[in-house]
Amino acid sequence: MSPSPESQPYESSSSASPPPESPEVRTTAGAVRGTREAGVAVFRGIPFAAPPVGAHRFAAPQPVRSWDGVRPAVAYGPPPPQAGVFGMDALSPQGADDDWLTVNVWSPEPAPDTALPVMVWFHGGAYVIGTSGIPEYHGARLAREGGVVVVTFNYRLGTEGFARIEGAPDNRGLLDQVAALRWVRDNIRAFGGDPDRVTLFGESAGAGSVAAVLAMPSAVGLFRRAIAQSVPGTFFSPELAADIAAACATELGLRPTVADLSTVTPAQLAAAGDAVSAKLGQWTDRWGRIAHRSIPFAPVVDGEVLPVTPWQALAEGAGRGIDLIVGHTREEQRLFTAIGGLLGQVTEDQAAEALRLFAPGPDGVDRYRAAFPSAGPESLYELVHSDWLFRMPSLHLAEAQVAGGGRAHVFELTWPAPGMGGALGACHGLDVPLVFGNLSGTEASALIGENPGPEAEALSAYIRAAWTAFAAHGDPGWPAYDPGRRLVRLLDAQPTTAPYPEDESRLLWQDHVFPALPLIST
């Protein structure tokens, strides 16, 4: 049968029978064939939207082109264009396949009548790097031992996904995420999942994306629960986002318009973003704190795709019908201090500058020093960075959820990473391998060590059980947060429930509002 313009051919389903370890599922666009690995059915690289190139570049995600026959679903889709951080741009070289918008599914039992809880992972990476195909996000263990269907996916990053471009919708990366959730709604039953029990979970920029999706009208009804791990407080005003996009376009001698930027390749555009990131110091007068933290892209509070910040949306009741887990690690900043070569090297001047830039309010510097009288320069430096970027935005998201009439469960990961001789503490990103149970053979080894011990295995098993129980019925096993008792779960070798332990920081930030970050007038 010759394909129509709306479809593309794959092998006929009437060809030689596939081996029994090759499960088949029919999606709304066509049939897919996966594999069986580690006791679950795995389907990789299924498109949930058309490739965002050509006429679709800088547009909202477009429908998938259907196919005839059975499409192999055995390899991850290609990563979207990446920033050059940690060499991630090498993952998506120029000329590679442009079918970036794909999902991957791990299912214990891919049958329509199974109706298992569904967990959809939003990867992190500062909105400029990341892909669903890295080993840390392999979902087999979480799916098999937790009795859930795990979904991971790609979304557009950097300039392609988050720059404010004239003639294009804002927040294209967020729109991709909503398109992936619509794919889950329309297809997950065929993979054994229950579309009425969908839980979002994500870390870092993935948690910021989860928070944004909570505030997006277009996502209403697509999920029942959400888990946000280390929510960044960086959301941009339209003016700030437009100024950054203009700087990126100027690197190419272009204007920040669809007409101009469509003339360069995605790789060239990503490189222009890298060039701007490399000299953010010259933009501190206009871009403020994000220039000091090298954060050139983030969701834009544009009034349409994202009407208001997540904190405002939840306080106004947007999450009233959503169950929420939110939390952070104790030493969020420690990983970045190590990456910057500053462990044990932070000076009093660097600590004073960090306090001046990031402490809340006109008297924030004095209040930090008074709240932590015995803290040395490195402790103060790490505290204010941790609080501004991750810890207080996460706590405030829970408090906004409660204020808006919703329910939130709060955690803090306090277990110190044994990797690097224990120098990293409970650092940013440590929760990811613990949540997925992928404790070795991946980048997690740098945090947990080459040979994870029984303590790591036990804590990972506890967290996986709590997350999957929450996905199944909304109860992770500890009390909901309330402004009176402020009980949270401390995730350590022996998890305990206690009042929120970072009370000094909570009090310092209690009157702060996390607004859309402005363009600073000069």
Side-chain angles (χ1 to χ4, degrees):
M1 176 179 175
S2 60
S4 70
E6 292 76 30
S7 64
Q8 49 189 318
Y10 285 92
E11 63 181 273
S12 170
S13 56
S14 61
S15 61
S17 298
E21 65 272 14
S22 300
E24 289 185 14
V25 165
R26 177 161 292 279
T27 74
T28 54
V32 293
R33 179 180 299 144
T35 60
R36 287 198 180 272
E37 304 169 20
V40 299
V42 185
F43 303 83
R44 294 181 172 91
I46 306 171
F48 66 83
V53 296
H56 299 327
R57 194 171 180 199
F58 306 122
Q62 300 298 304
V64 174
R65 184 183 177 192
S66 61
W67 58 85
D68 296 322
V70 182
R71 180 184 181 118
V74 296
Y76 293 112
Q82 308 271 312
V85 183
F86 308 125
M88 291 290 285
D89 52 339
L91 293 177
S92 52
Q94 189 167 336
D97 186 358
D98 53 22
D99 208 354
W100 310 324
L101 303 182
T102 59
V103 300
N104 318 294
V105 181
W106 287 261
S107 176
E109 188 58 50
D113 57 352
T114 307
L116 296 173
V118 181
M119 299 185 69
V120 183
W121 173 250
F122 289 55
H123 74 73
Y127 306 106
V128 295
I129 59 172
T131 178
S132 62
I134 64 176
E136 286 88 338
Y137 307 149
H138 192 284
R141 191 174 189 187
L142 188 61
R144 182 183 67 251
E145 297 181 9
V148 297
V149 176
V150 175
V151 179
T152 67
F153 67 96
N154 291 341
Y155 56 94
R156 281 174 282 183
L157 302 166
T159 312
E160 298 284 339
F162 291 96
R164 188 155 219 244
I165 299 171
E166 183 180 335
D170 287 318
N171 298 306
R172 296 170 298 281
L174 299 183
L175 292 174
D176 293 344
Q177 295 165 2
V178 173
L181 294 178
R182 290 196 179 109
W183 184 92
V184 169
R185 177 196 62 194
D186 297 340
N187 292 280
I188 206 64
R189 191 175 296 280
F191 293 85
D194 183 350
D196 295 322
R197 285 195 295 168
V198 173
T199 297
L200 319 184
F201 69 131
E203 184 266 348
S204 196
S209 297
V210 168
V213 169
L214 284 165
M216 291 172 64
S218 61
V220 171
L222 296 177
F223 60 99
R224 177 69 183 83
R225 301 183 176 99
I227 304 172
Q229 304 166 207
S230 300
V231 181
T234 49
F235 285 73
F236 291 177
S237 67
E239 296 78 15
L240 175 60
D243 207 57
I244 295 170
C248 293
T250 298
E251 289 290 326
L252 299 163
L254 301 172
R255 299 168 301 159
T257 66
V258 168
D260 273 23
L261 296 182
S262 294
T263 65
V264 299
T265 67
Q268 289 172 311
L269 197 53
D274 288 346
V276 170
S277 296
K279 50 188 178 184
L280 279 174
Q282 73 181 46
W283 297 99
T284 55
D285 289 346
R286 293 179 66 81
W287 300 347
R289 293 165 172 169
I290 63 158
H292 292 277
R293 282 303 305 243
S294 297
I295 303 172
F297 298 103
V300 183
V301 182
D302 64 327
E304 184 175 350
V305 175
L306 184 59
V308 296
T309 68
W311 299 273
Q312 182 179 340
L314 293 192
E316 293 173 353
R320 194 171 294 137
I322 303 297
D323 301 323
L324 178 65
I325 291 177
V326 63
H328 56 76
T329 71
R330 174 161 287 175
E331 287 97 10
E332 290 278 4
Q333 171 63 24
R334 186 71 51 81
L335 178 66
F336 304 103
T337 303
I339 291 171
L342 289 177
L343 275 183
Q345 306 296 319
V346 177
T347 66
E348 177 58 46
D349 286 347
Q350 288 170 318
E353 179 72 353
L355 289 170
R356 182 185 69 81
L357 289 169
F358 297 105
D363 58 347
V365 174
D366 293 337
R367 293 172 63 223
Y368 253 93
R369 291 190 181 279
F372 302 99
S374 62
E378 186 159 303
S379 292
L380 287 169
Y381 177 90
E382 293 202 337
L383 279 165
V384 73
H385 276 291
S386 294
D387 286 343
W388 175 75
L389 188 53
F390 294 117
R391 299 204 310 179
M392 294 305 105
S394 298
L395 180 66
H396 281 217
L397 194 73
E399 292 183 337
Q401 170 75 341
V402 175
R407 184 162 61 100
H409 299 264
V410 178
F411 73 90
E412 180 175 6
L413 178 60
T414 56
W415 181 71
M420 291 184 61
L424 294 179
C427 67
H428 186 73
L430 178 61
D431 47 332
V432 175
L434 296 171
V435 164
F436 279 90
N438 299 324
L439 304 181
S440 60
T442 70
E443 293 298 322
S445 296
L447 302 178
I448 297 179
E450 291 296 331
N451 299 297
E455 195 170 272
E457 288 286 358
L459 179 57
S460 175
Y462 174 84
I463 293 173
R464 282 182 280 117
W467 267 222
T468 54
F470 178 76
H473 49 70
D475 183 1
W478 70 87
Y481 184 89
D482 70 78
R485 297 184 300 165
R486 295 189 295 276
L487 294 179
V488 306
R489 194 65 166 169
L490 304 182
L491 301 176
D492 213 317
Q494 295 293 327
T496 58
T497 298
Y500 183 65
E502 315 305 338
D503 210 49
E504 294 88 350
S505 292
R506 182 188 68 82
L507 292 171
L508 285 167
W509 290 82
Q510 64 182 347
D511 297 324
H512 182 76
V513 176
F514 284 91
L517 297 172
L519 176 67
I520 301 170
S521 299
T522 57

